[in-house]
Amino acid sequence: DMQAGDADTGYGNELNVTRTLREYERRGVAGLHIEDQGFPKKCGHLDDKVVIPLDDYLAKIRAAAAARTDPDFLLIARTDARAVIGFEEAVRRMNAALAAGADMAFLEAPQTQAEVEAVPRLVNGPCLLNVVSGGKTPVLDLAWAERVGFRLAILPGILFQSREGLN
């Protein structure tokens, strides 16, 4: 019954990330994801996003990893780099974040089925798939996503869809 939370950008620099992680952990949340967007952040499936330099992002991931007191707390690194600086850079950022202490990679908004399929193959660790109806990523069968290597899927907005619209 544990839930993970969206921590946006960690709400500031490394100090803010440390405080954010500790507050989430203290309240019994099972994990969180922190992204590399600049301020103000936007939905991952909207255009005109900005991502921060990789070194600044990795400092946040290292701060979050160091702040954990519960070894089971799941630290998910999210990148919005696909839309801004390309798929290869997004993969590079996810591998760097995993090396910096993240437990799982969340490469936001791959734009084709081939890109989706490539994520678990190219990223050196467990991957999360964001299934957003009407977003940049094609809506794919969850059993297929598991077969190609995704370990977790999130389905934001699913409760807003009609029963007829669900597969």
Side-chain angles (χ1 to χ4, degrees), residues 26-106:
R26 194 174 294 133
R27 283 162 174 74
V29 177
L32 55 73
H33 53 86
I34 295 176
E35 63 204 56
D36 59 356
Q37 278 199 51
F39 181 84
K41 71 144 290 186
K42 291 186 172 185
C43 167
H45 290 258
L46 294 178
D47 294 327
D48 302 321
K49 296 188 300 276
V50 173
V51 293
I52 63 174
L54 179 57
D55 287 346
D56 295 349
Y57 181 54
L58 296 179
K60 290 185 182 194
I61 296 299
R62 281 192 290 270
R68 280 190 287 202
T69 58
D70 179 355
D72 293 328
F73 189 89
L74 186 67
L75 174 56
I76 305 167
R78 167 179 155 170
T79 184
D80 285 81
R82 167 61 188 95
V84 184
I85 46 184
F87 183 74
E88 286 181 17
E89 180 61 21
V91 168
R92 188 171 86 88
R93 283 178 173 235
M94 289 295 82
N95 283 325
L98 289 165
D103 302 307
M104 182 171 278
F106 174 0

